[in-house]
Amino acid sequence: MNPLPSDKIVSVHARHLAGRGSDQVFDGWPFPHNSGEHDWTFHCPEDGYQVASSPCMRLRSGFLADPGGAAGDGVWITAAHQQPFEPAAWKAKFDASTPVEMIWDFHTELLHFYLDDAYSDSDMLFDDDTPPVAAYLPLLNSGWNHTVSHRGSQRFRSPDGMALLEHRYIATDLDKPMWTLTAGYPVEPLWRASFTGRTPVTYVAAFTASLVAEEPLTRAVDEVPFHTRRLARLSSVPDRKPASTPALPPAPPHNTAARAR
């Protein structure tokens, strides 16, 4: 790493060591606007909570900035509601330091089934018969090891030891996290993601598949977390921009797409 300047663009693998990349909320939100009847609404003030809401108001995704933290600190929260003003049926949470490409992939899968449900009798936002194995099979296929506890949980750890999925397959409180992913050293994690008990396995699987995808992530050297940088595999990438994500739609009118810094 020493010969590389801090602004040098590199590809990073494994993905869990890459760092957040972009801190723009629309790099994590694929939700449509200015496109027709399925447009989402966005509330993006200069500071505080920024939120995207589906037309039916049953899906909401937000970024809550940490007022006491550094610029960009906070948490992403995505929630699904059976009825708009009822408590959430399930929630997914991601630290702001989670690689934004993985948050994008999770939201893209969610949006896919949301749009599909509009033209079918299914309700994949809540009813999902996908077995739990779909969420951890991508990890096993990528060489993660597997241990089972007699206390109703199982763990999957990456080959480098720097990422861990814990699945509580026996849960009494479905409003608490049933799936928890962490990356980095346990005493100083890079990021944490969690999914409550009623989260459809399909969406957890979208996140785990993105986590172990073979395509590396693009970052500037100084965007790669320093204390785990030596464990990542980096290679130079000429003429590329950091945090490459799929093409984004234009920002909503009268709003800013950028999160307050």
Side-chain angles (χ1 to χ4, degrees):
M1 294 300 300
N2 292 333
L4 296 177
S6 62
D7 60 352
K8 177 67 176 176
I9 304 303
V10 294
S11 63
V12 186
H13 206 277
R15 284 183 161 213
H16 54 265
L17 299 175
R20 82 173 72 188
S22 172
D23 65 354
Q24 308 294 301
V25 290
F26 277 83
D27 281 348
W29 281 344
F31 309 125
H33 53 271
N34 297 334
S35 62
E37 61 177 317
H38 298 297
D39 283 352
W40 287 47
T41 57
F42 301 90
H43 179 67
C44 297
E46 293 184 358
D47 54 27
Y49 197 91
Q50 303 185 64
V51 65
S53 177
S54 66
C56 64
M57 297 182 66
R58 294 197 303 162
L59 282 180
R60 291 194 285 274
S61 177
F63 180 84
L64 179 61
D66 180 358
D73 284 356
V75 62
W76 297 80
I77 303 174
T78 297
H81 305 256
Q82 293 278 7
Q83 297 296 329
F85 299 104
E86 290 183 353
W90 59 263
K91 293 181 182 179
K93 293 185 179 182
F94 310 95
D95 288 346
S97 49
T98 306
V100 72
E101 294 88 346
M102 288 153 41
I103 296 173
W104 172 279
D105 289 343
F106 166 79
H107 285 143
T108 297
E109 188 79 345
L110 183 62
L111 177 63
H112 169 78
F113 283 103
Y114 167 76
L115 295 174
D116 185 65
D117 286 353
Y119 301 101
S120 71
D121 295 329
S122 64
D123 194 357
M124 281 289 291
L125 297 182
F126 308 100
D127 298 326
D128 182 18
D129 58 3
T130 304
V133 67
Y136 51 78
L137 191 58
L139 309 182
L140 295 175
N141 289 339
S142 297
W144 289 42
N145 66 38
H146 176 214
T147 58
V148 180
S149 167
H150 296 296
R151 298 181 179 179
S153 67
Q154 54 186 335
R155 292 186 168 194
F156 304 83
R157 191 176 295 276
S158 62
D160 63 5
M162 288 290 106
L164 174 70
L165 168 66
E166 182 172 9
H167 174 216
R168 294 190 306 112
Y169 57 86
I170 297 177
T172 56
D173 188 347
L174 296 180
D175 292 325
K176 292 184 177 180
M178 180 176 284
W179 305 84
T180 304
L181 277 142
T182 55
Y185 295 108
V187 296
E188 192 176 1
L190 299 176
W191 55 264
R192 182 177 185 270
S194 65
F195 306 86
T196 57
R198 296 183 181 89
T199 306
V201 173
T202 295
Y203 307 131
V204 182
F207 189 80
T208 58
S210 181
L211 172 63
V212 297
E214 293 186 2
E215 181 183 3
L217 301 181
T218 305
R219 300 285 188 267
V221 169
D222 62 357
E223 292 178 324
V224 183
F226 179 78
H227 66 285
T228 56
R229 193 177 295 172
R230 64 181 180 82
L231 299 172
R233 302 194 303 275
L234 293 92
S235 58
S236 297
V237 178
D239 303 324
R240 289 280 301 277
K241 293 182 179 180
S244 176
T245 56
L248 301 174
H254 313 303
N255 269 323
T256 175
R259 189 158 68 238
R261 303 183 68 84

